[in-house]
Amino acid sequence: MRLHAATLNRVDLYMRGGGAGITHQLPHILGVDGAGVVDEVDAGEALLAPGQRVLLHPGLSCGRCEFCLRGDDVLCTRYQILGEQRDGTLAQSISVPARNVLPLPDGWSFAEGAALGVNHLTAWRMLVTQARLQPWETVLIFGIGGGVSLAGLQIAKALGARAIVTSRHADKLERARALGADHVIDSSREDIAKAALAATGGRGVDVVFENVGEAVWAHAMKSLVRGGRLVTCGATSGDQPGADLRRLFIRQLKVLGSTMGTVAELHQLLAFCQRHGLRPVIERTFALHDVHAALSLLESGRQFGKTALTID
Ligand SMILES: [Zn+2]
């Protein structure tokens, strides 16, 4: 596949910084997601053809272990992710199994297609597969502006649910409102749990969606309705919060871990996006040779939406 765009993800910063314990070999090519054009296929390939516009699923699974055989390829015991355990997508071309290549919807840019394969896929599995968010429910999304939380907001709204979002930045809250957030909480001056309870008539939210970890965990647990679900896919502020076990069992809360998504979920997500006219938010685009400036923007935490790279 000839790559035409990739978008940056937080893990690119971890890999640049030494790998964060992820097994990899140097020299290593960064970049997890990507989209482009099929260059060459194996003889007998029936579903893909050279010249086709496509996007990538970045997870490579063995197809043989018990988890792959039950359809949970994202739990594969030999799972490898592009740009982490293997060379990634900040390159002119890449060779992957055909099952990892999906058609890009008509009218989509390559950057939009690239963005779907990690952030939106992660948010989809969190909200739909793990937390099973329903149209009549309320979800609280922490740290709006990052790729996964924005994807979560877009998917939750398209599902018909009510979305409350938090941020320390007023400008991000304003932009989240424009994307459909029903209620916003400025965490620089509001107590998140109190504000979430107030916004739900004292009831609490059905689902908490978060990837911040330690810094928000206590607020997240206190924001949940009895029997509510907390789904997490990250721990950027630390991974050892207090467990709050008494609250967990007395209020019968569920804590759900999630990471990435299966190839089947990416097919579902693509169909969902086309039905609802949902597209990833690309904030800024850099040329591949400006990758350091792009990584610096990601590192600053000021971005709202995805930082994309175009590849000639
Ligand atoms: Zn496997």
Side-chain angles (χ1 to χ4, degrees), residues 61-65 67-68 76-78:
S61 53
C62 76
R64 299 279 309 279
C65 71
F67 306 102
C68 283
C76 177
T77 53
R78 281 174 278 179

Side-chain angles (χ1 to χ4, degrees), residues 38-39 46 48 66 73 86 131 152 177 200 234 261:
V38 175
D39 194 34
L48 296 171
E66 78 172 277
D73 47 81
R86 319 214 346 170
R177 268 195 199 282
T200 53

Side-chain angles (χ1 to χ4, degrees), residues 49-192:
Q52 193 177 349
R53 288 160 48 91
V54 290
L55 60 96
L56 280 175
H57 184 296
L60 303 174
S61 53
C62 76
R64 299 279 309 279
C65 71
E66 78 172 277
F67 306 102
C68 283
L69 289 173
R70 75 180 191 205
D72 254 336
D73 47 81
V74 73
L75 293 179
C76 177
T77 53
R78 281 174 278 179
Y79 207 54
Q80 293 190 317
I81 298 177
L82 303 177
E84 296 186 30
Q85 293 85 5
R86 319 214 346 170
D87 278 338
T89 55
L90 302 190
Q92 290 173 309
S93 61
I94 194 165
S95 176
V96 294
R99 66 192 295 277
N100 287 78
V101 179
L102 288 79
L104 187 70
D106 290 341
W108 279 39
S109 70
F110 289 116
E112 289 169 333
L116 202 75
V118 175
N119 285 170
H120 281 70
L121 179 59
T122 300
W124 178 262
R125 183 171 173 86
M126 289 171 76
L127 285 180
V128 176
T129 307
Q130 305 282 22
R132 298 177 183 274
L133 179 67
Q134 302 297 318
W136 54 87
E137 291 186 322
T138 300
V139 58
L140 171 62
I141 300 172
F142 278 82
I144 203 69
V148 177
S149 54
L150 262 184
L153 171 61
Q154 290 182 298
I155 292 168
K157 289 314 300 172
L159 286 169
R162 179 169 181 243
I164 303 174
V165 303
T166 81
S167 174
R168 282 169 295 177
H169 307 287
D171 55 322
K172 291 188 181 184
L173 293 173
E174 216 37 60
R175 293 180 71 178
R177 268 195 199 282
L179 282 174
D182 298 280
H183 187 88
V184 303
I185 299 173
D186 184 340
S187 52
S188 72
R189 53 184 185 80
E190 288 180 273
D191 178 295
I192 294 174

Side-chain angles (χ1 to χ4, degrees), residues 8 13 16 30 286-299 309:
L8 294 179
L13 294 174
R16 185 186 63 167
L30 296 180
F286 293 83
L288 182 57
H289 59 80
D290 286 329
V291 62
H292 294 293
L295 284 164
S296 296
L297 176 63
L298 178 66
E299 199 166 28
L309 294 162

